[in-house]
Amino acid sequence: MNSEEILVGHSVIKIIRGDITQERVDAIVNATNPSLRPGGGVCGAIHRAGGQAVTQDCRRVMAERQPLVPGEAVATVAGDLKARYVIHALGPVWKGGKQGEPEELASAYRNSIELADRLGLSSIAFPSISTGIYGYPLMPAANIALRALRAALERTRTVREVRIVLYDPDSYEAWLAAAR
Ligand code: AR6
């Protein structure tokens, strides 16, 4: 089968190819920037597909707090997306791997899962955080993410399905290899 499922306790992690803006899940995770601006990459696509409601809710959140630090995650409305929430997670910018990037990347996944669980959600879709514009190498990123997701899913109350939605073939193959 040209996809992969990993069972973790009562939950499942599915590695799939696709466009995350088309996912029908409780929460879509966005690979954001510190100030929750629309930006480019998957972030630009999520803001475009979600519409003004998402961008405006990001502005409301930012009016009440400091910029995100790498590893943090915050929730907003999902506007026109087929989801209830967007969880905006900030991954690290790759600086060679010895400046805390692995821990920050793991935190971005863990904090997103914990936030979804606090919101009582059951399904959540992630992009490959930090491996585009932020330059994190794919294989280590996928390995760190899967380890963090497995650990987080051991402790969730409501989250049952995690979908990793890979847009390009290289990312998809790297995540499949990491999963296997
Ligand atoms: N669905 C799923 N994945 C996608 C989609 C999509 N529609 N579009 C792109 N990707 P990136 P980062 C993949 O650069 O590295 C933004 O400007 C893409 O192929 O979007 O965390 C933010 O505002 C890649 O594999 O995120 C920040 O400033 C993955 O999403 C900065 O970029 C992540 O690539 C964050 O950089």
Side-chain angles (χ1 to χ4, degrees):
M1 192 175 59
N2 200 20
S3 71
E4 193 75 20
E5 296 193 2
I6 305 169
L7 299 174
V8 187
H10 297 291
S11 306
V12 61
I13 302 172
K14 295 181 180 170
I15 314 283
I16 59 175
R17 181 103 197 265
D19 175 352
I20 200 167
T21 65
Q22 301 307 310
E23 285 289 305
R24 190 181 291 278
V25 283
D26 293 327
I28 288 174
V29 176
N30 179 24
T32 193
N33 50 76
S35 48
L36 304 183
R37 278 195 299 268
V42 72
C43 186
I46 285 172
H47 277 261
R48 273 193 303 280
Q52 275 303 309
V54 173
T55 307
Q56 274 167 14
D57 208 28
C58 284
R59 270 193 224 118
R60 177 191 64 75
V61 169
M62 286 314 299
E64 293 165 4
R65 58 159 294 148
Q66 297 297 308
L68 274 66
V69 298
E72 276 193 295
V74 297
T76 68
V77 299
D80 299 329
L81 292 160
K82 293 170 235 158
R84 291 166 62 196
Y85 296 93
V86 176
I87 292 179
H88 305 264
L90 180 63
V93 176
W94 177 253
K95 302 189 198 89
K98 296 199 171 124
Q99 297 188 52
E101 299 97 314
E103 295 76 15
E104 290 168 351
L105 186 64
S107 296
Y109 285 92
R110 186 183 62 245
N111 285 326
S112 298
I113 293 283
E114 290 178 358
L115 179 51
D117 210 54
R118 283 201 298 280
L119 291 167
L121 309 183
S122 95
S123 59
I124 179 169
F126 283 88
S128 181
I129 298 171
S130 281
T131 63
I133 293 164
Y134 280 1
Y136 209 116
L138 261 171
M139 274 311 293
N143 280 311
I144 288 163
L146 284 171
R147 208 173 308 131
L149 288 169
R150 279 174 186 274
L153 285 172
E154 299 284 358
R155 296 186 301 269
T156 53
R157 194 172 44 86
T158 63
V159 175
R160 287 287 173 262
E161 181 177 352
V162 175
R163 298 166 67 80
I164 310 292
V165 185
L166 290 324
Y167 197 56
D168 59 284
D170 287 353
S171 301
Y172 181 63
E173 292 305 327
W175 276 80
L176 281 187
R180 283 165 186 161

